Amino acid sequence: MLDLYHWEPNGASGRVLIALEEKGLAYSSCYVDVLAFEQYRPELLELSERGEVPLLVHDGAAYTEASYLCEFLDEAFPSRPLLPSDARGRWEVRVWQKAVDDGFAASVSELAWQAYGGARGVGALAPGALCAAVERIPVEEGRELWRAAAAGLGEEQLARARSRVQEAVKKIEAQLTSAQWLAGAAYSLADVAVFPYFKYLPELCPGLVSDAATPHAMSWMRAVAARPAVRSALARGRVVDPFTVAAPGPEQVRWG
Ligand SMILES: N[C@@H](CCC(=O)N[C@@H](CS)C(=O)NCC(=O)O)C(=O)O
């Protein structure tokens, strides 16, 4: 029995939804509206002390952290593997996952929050109501994250996010110029990790990501988006386009 607590099928939630669909696993989808602070509901905090989604519950045990969660799924349910069979290929996947976890995810989330965050849910509250809602978050790290988001991200932070995204896009385009997929010879968890963040970029950073600037990455993005499993995962959201909503990721509070 697999229960996945997730938000919109973008970012980290998107990664795990795509992995479940690619592996053809039956799961129940439990939507958690991050922009209504539902991730901090007491019953979810009992399963994950940080109140973080995606959160998978399998046989009564809870799993978080998209990279490790996807690897857990691949190991626990070996059919339709998403990790290469050779050691080099698996290393390549993990290096891409680390790049996503270390900076790409947080930087895309920051730019997306800046562009779209205010439009829905808590982001649309009047400043006083938002601050009061933030102070009711029962997790210190969550309060810290959302206080910063409510105050608005500074130009220095946004400039750093733009430059990190630019570096990541360069690497993605370079890799896809000579290969069809990010790691190894086949589609893998590396593609699953990068896609739900990269998909924001043609709209969010059109000067950086476009058919003219990054043709190989754009065809890769379209090929991933056309996969039946990815289409099913993207249909698990509530908004028409999950890449036009954003929440500030928790990573920037952890690592600054
Ligand atoms: N380290 C986590 C990060 C998960 C994450 O960024 N979750 C977002 C939504 S997809 C979130 O919960 N943000 C809002 C919050 O922390 O209040 C992972 O890789 O799974």
Side-chain angles (χ1 to χ4, degrees):
M1 181 72 196
L2 292 165
D3 296 322
L4 182 70
Y5 295 87
H6 64 90
W7 187 44
E8 286 297 320
N10 55 29
S13 289
R15 293 174 65 179
V16 180
L17 282 163
I18 292 172
L20 284 162
E21 295 284 348
E22 291 285 3
K23 297 191 69 68
L25 296 168
Y27 64 99
S28 65
S29 149
C30 316
Y31 186 92
V32 176
D33 190 347
V34 162
L35 295 182
F37 290 163
E38 288 180 359
Q39 65 276 32
Y40 299 114
R41 283 195 319 238
E43 66 272 27
L44 290 182
L45 286 175
E46 263 178 41
L47 294 166
S48 138
E49 57 184 357
R50 280 179 172 150
E52 201 166 281
V53 290
L55 166 73
L56 180 82
V57 180
H58 171 52
D59 286 345
Y63 299 82
T64 53
E65 296 298 344
S67 291
Y68 304 114
L69 208 167
C70 288
E71 288 204 31
F72 162 77
L73 285 173
D74 211 48
E75 206 178 315
F77 303 95
S79 73
R80 304 200 205 173
L82 289 169
L83 278 172
S85 56
D86 62 304
R88 167 79 197 181
R90 288 197 295 277
W91 173 81
E92 288 177 7
V93 168
R94 289 173 181 139
V95 170
W96 280 107
Q97 292 190 142
K98 182 163 163 55
V100 169
D101 293 338
D102 278 1
F104 188 53
S107 300
V108 172
S109 302
E110 285 175 339
L111 298 182
W113 171 256
Q114 177 72 10
Y116 310 123
R120 285 183 66 250
V122 289
L125 294 176
L130 174 56
C131 290
V134 167
E135 294 314 315
R136 285 196 297 272
I137 294 176
V139 178
E140 172 51 31
E141 189 178 89
R143 285 196 295 278
E144 208 185 313
L145 159 72
W146 281 96
R147 268 183 211 132
L153 308 178
E155 195 36 55
E156 200 182 314
Q157 196 175 352
L158 292 169
R160 193 182 57 171
R162 276 192 288 271
S163 117
R164 282 182 172 173
V165 167
Q166 191 169 7
E167 283 310 305
V169 165
K170 247 196 250 169
K171 283 192 189 136
I172 294 166
E173 178 66 12
Q175 168 66 18
L176 296 169
T177 300
S178 55
Q180 192 183 355
W181 305 109
L182 289 174
Y187 175 81
S188 73
L189 285 182
D191 304 288
V192 172
V194 172
F195 170 82
Y197 296 96
F198 189 90
K199 182 79 172 67
Y200 277 103
L201 298 178
E203 285 292 315
L204 201 54
C205 307
L208 191 62
V209 175
S210 66
D211 284 317
T214 52
H216 300 93
M218 287 298 285
S219 346
W220 163 86
M221 186 192 84
R222 292 195 184 99
V224 176
R227 295 176 68 85
V230 174
R231 293 163 71 108
S232 306
L234 296 190
R236 295 289 191 168
R238 287 189 182 168
V239 301
V240 175
D241 179 357
F243 301 97
T244 58
V245 291
E251 313 299 2
Q252 47 274 61
V253 172
R254 256 168 241 162
W255 298 325

